[in-house]
Amino acid sequence: MCGIAGALLMDGRQSPLKVTRDMVTAIRHRGPDGSAFLEHGNWGIGMCRLSINDLQGGTQPLYNQSKSVAVFYNGEIYNYAELRRELESNGVQFRTHCDGEVIGHLYDSMGAALFERLDGMFAIALLDKTSGKLILARDLPGEKPLYYYSSNNGDFAFASELPALRRVP
């Protein structure tokens, strides 16, 4: 079990990275083995990790080859070996042995349709740094939770658990 969280803050009253750090602290019990954060524009995104796959190289965010796509996720991609072989046969070079690394590379070739190819249990936050677009997705049965909040002023936040959303100003 890991946890993901992020915030888009529109009015500049607080740093999105600081708010995201507070959010991840609220769900730290989901991933006591480490945490990682990314700030891009008005976005702050982070995660806490329970290390199961690729203990050394699975630190998030995971990136596509050009590092223009950042992926934070909680879960397991069951068919990642098949997807990885397919991507490697198309010239993709992987940096880790983490199952989630396939997500950013699939986004490069398929866009948001990539989620149709994933078999697993997951909650994903994918940030396309070029367009500034954030895509949130979760497995259809909802085995991995993903909650979100939207305000009237354009602020937006998401998290694996509700206590993290309570940290959003």
Side-chain angles (χ1 to χ4, degrees), residues 1-140:
M1 175 168 69
C2 297
I4 60 174
L8 171 69
L9 302 178
M10 299 305 292
D11 65 7
R13 68 187 180 281
Q14 284 198 24
S15 158
L17 188 58
K18 181 197 178 312
V19 171
T20 300
R21 287 183 187 281
D22 291 345
M23 293 171 72
V24 170
T25 297
I27 58 173
R28 181 80 176 149
H29 60 277
R30 294 184 65 90
D33 296 331
S35 57
F37 300 90
L38 172 70
E39 186 172 31
H40 182 76
N42 291 343
W43 276 109
I45 304 173
M47 61 88 58
C48 50
R49 182 172 187 228
L50 177 64
S51 299
I52 296 173
N53 271 338
D54 194 2
L55 302 182
Q56 302 302 318
T59 301
Q60 297 180 35
L62 298 165
Y63 292 98
N64 62 344
Q65 278 190 256
S66 67
K67 292 195 172 187
S68 63
V69 173
V71 175
F72 290 86
Y73 88 109
N74 170 31
E76 183 177 356
I77 309 302
Y78 302 143
N79 62 334
Y80 87 94
E82 167 195 338
L83 295 170
R84 182 181 175 117
R85 283 191 300 274
E86 179 182 315
L87 290 162
E88 286 175 330
S89 73
N90 290 322
V92 172
Q93 295 180 352
F94 285 79
R95 294 180 180 92
T96 75
H97 296 286
C98 186
D99 57 330
E101 191 177 357
V102 299
I103 298 165
H105 297 298
L106 284 171
Y107 180 77
D108 278 344
S109 61
M110 303 180 68
L114 80 96
F115 299 106
E116 297 170 13
R117 297 286 317 274
L118 299 183
D119 177 19
M121 56 177 181
F122 53 83
I124 297 169
L126 182 149
L127 180 64
D128 181 333
K129 294 178 357 182
T130 303
S131 70
K133 179 176 19 175
L134 178 78
I135 298 173
L136 298 176
R138 92 175 179 193
D139 59 283
L140 287 176

Side-chain angles (χ1 to χ4, degrees), residues 139-151:
D139 59 283
L140 287 176
E143 190 169 346
K144 293 298 178 184
L146 187 61
Y147 300 92
Y148 66 92
Y149 159 81
S150 180
S151 74

